[in-house]
């Protein structure tokens, strides 16, 4: 009996350790560098991207963060928000294909931002805000490869991109999805708006026609009631006159 209990205890301990290991692994896997929001409309202007950097090490702090911006589909007008305790260095590069805008042709764009001087401790994270003037409109997503350096010298490379249909890689790069442009009235499908407007106009026309028919029916009913009233009145007068005549006949 004692041996049986010992076996059960050992099995329970192994199961508990295995469960803890799985949960710990899941926690580490989910604590990767991300960008927020995770989507913007293509060609969006005057927005902000937030890069969230969590610390995965128990015995080391994050001391350096490097974010690489794509130059094949450049982000224009990049500005870095001052961060307490951190110093930001912005690097620009020549574009292979200049970008034409309403303000002229852009030949240079920010290709890298490096934050140093601060510390992200165990169980903590830091948000790094980057403002932009305009996002590209010729791609469906932007990948921001990131390097995270720790105080013990370890470097985590968040640079892997998931292929279509594959599971998320171990060290995924932050990805910003670019959705279809919105029309000026806020609807992403102008044709649908026109159809909706036409449908609304038709509905208004049908309502007006229905109201007109209802009004015509009401007028006909009113006329009928008026005529009926006159007929009833005439009959009443005739009945009264007949009664008077009958009452006078015996007296005479």
């Amino acid at each position: 009996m004692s041996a049986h209990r010992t076996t059960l205890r050992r099995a329970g301990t192994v199961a508990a350790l295995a469960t803890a290991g799985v949960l710990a692994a899941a926690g580490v896997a989910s604590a990767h560098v991300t960008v927020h929001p995770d989507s913007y409309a293509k060609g969006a202007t005057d927005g902000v991207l937030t890069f969230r950097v969590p610390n995965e090490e128990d015995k080391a702090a994050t001391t350096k963060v490097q974010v690489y911006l794509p130059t094949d589909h450049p982000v224009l007008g990049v500005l870095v928000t001052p961060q307490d305790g951190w110093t930001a260095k912005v690097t620009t590069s020549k574009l292979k294909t200049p970008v034409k805008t309403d303000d002229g042709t852009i030949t240079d764009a920010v290709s890298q931002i490096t934050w140093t001087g601060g510390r992200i401790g165990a169980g903590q994270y830091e948000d790094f805000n980057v403002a932009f003037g305009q996002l590209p409109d010729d791609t469906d997503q932007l990948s921001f490869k990131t390097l995270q350096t720790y105080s013990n010298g370890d470097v985590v490379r968040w640079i892997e991109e998931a292929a279509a249909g594959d599971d998320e890689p171990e060290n995924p790069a932050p990805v910003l999805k670019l959705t279809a442009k919105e029309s000026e009235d806020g609807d992403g499908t102008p044709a649908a708006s026109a159809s909706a407007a036409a449908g609304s106009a038709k509905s208004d026309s049908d309502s007006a026609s229905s109201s007109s028919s209802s009004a015509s029916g009401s007028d006909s009913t009113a006329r009928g009631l008026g005529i009926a009233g006159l007929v009833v009145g005439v009959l009443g007068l005739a009945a009264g006159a007949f009664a008077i005549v009958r009452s006078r006949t015996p007296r005479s």
Side-chain angles (χ1 to χ4, degrees):
M1 193 69 176
S2 178
H4 181 65
R5 289 178 179 174
T6 301
T7 302
L8 290 176
R9 288 197 197 96
R10 289 177 180 174
T13 302
V14 171
L17 290 174
T19 302
V22 170
L23 292 176
V28 171
S30 64
H32 48 259
V33 178
T34 53
V35 61
H36 303 271
D38 60 1
S39 67
Y40 257 113
K42 292 181 179 180
T45 58
D46 301 327
V48 175
L49 297 175
T50 299
F51 294 94
R52 177 161 295 178
V53 182
N55 190 87
E56 291 185 320
E57 299 265 349
D58 292 332
K59 298 181 180 179
T62 297
T63 56
K64 184 178 181 181
V65 176
Q66 297 165 269
V67 175
Y68 294 85
L69 284 70
T71 55
D72 53 346
H73 303 287
V75 179
L76 306 180
V78 171
L79 297 173
V80 180
T81 302
Q83 195 85 3
D84 290 342
W86 296 87
T87 299
K89 178 183 178 182
V90 179
T91 302
T92 59
S93 299
K94 284 282 185 182
L95 298 177
K96 292 182 179 180
T97 304
V99 179
K100 294 182 179 180
T101 68
D102 295 338
D103 298 325
T105 301
I106 306 297
T107 58
D108 300 84
V110 174
S111 58
Q112 179 183 342
I113 305 174
T114 302
W115 287 273
T116 56
R119 294 176 69 86
I120 306 175
Q124 299 177 345
Y125 71 89
E126 191 84 34
D127 282 344
F128 298 90
N129 296 324
V130 176
F132 63 82
Q134 183 175 343
L135 295 177
D137 59 3
D138 56 353
T139 185
D140 294 329
Q141 66 178 32
L142 296 176
S143 178
F144 300 94
K145 297 182 178 180
T146 303
L147 301 184
Q148 182 178 9
T149 302
Y150 287 90
S151 55
N152 60 4
D154 291 345
V155 178
V156 180
R157 300 176 179 275
W158 304 100
I159 61 174
E160 299 175 4
E161 298 182 22
D166 291 347
D167 294 334
E168 184 180 71
E170 184 178 356
N171 295 315
V175 173
L176 177 70
K177 296 178 181 179
L178 298 180
T179 59
K181 288 183 178 180
E182 293 185 354
S183 61
E184 293 183 358
D185 59 358
D187 192 340
T189 54
S193 298
S195 177
S200 177
K202 184 176 184 302
S203 177
D204 292 343
S205 177
D206 292 343
S207 297
S209 177
S210 176
S211 298
S212 177
S213 299
S214 177
S216 177
S218 297
D219 291 343
S220 299
T221 302
R223 291 193 190 99
L225 291 175
I227 294 171
L230 290 174
V231 172
V232 171
V234 171
L235 292 175
L237 289 174
F242 180 72
I244 294 174
V245 171
R246 286 192 62 184
S247 64
R248 289 180 177 177
T249 299
R251 293 177 187 175
S252 51

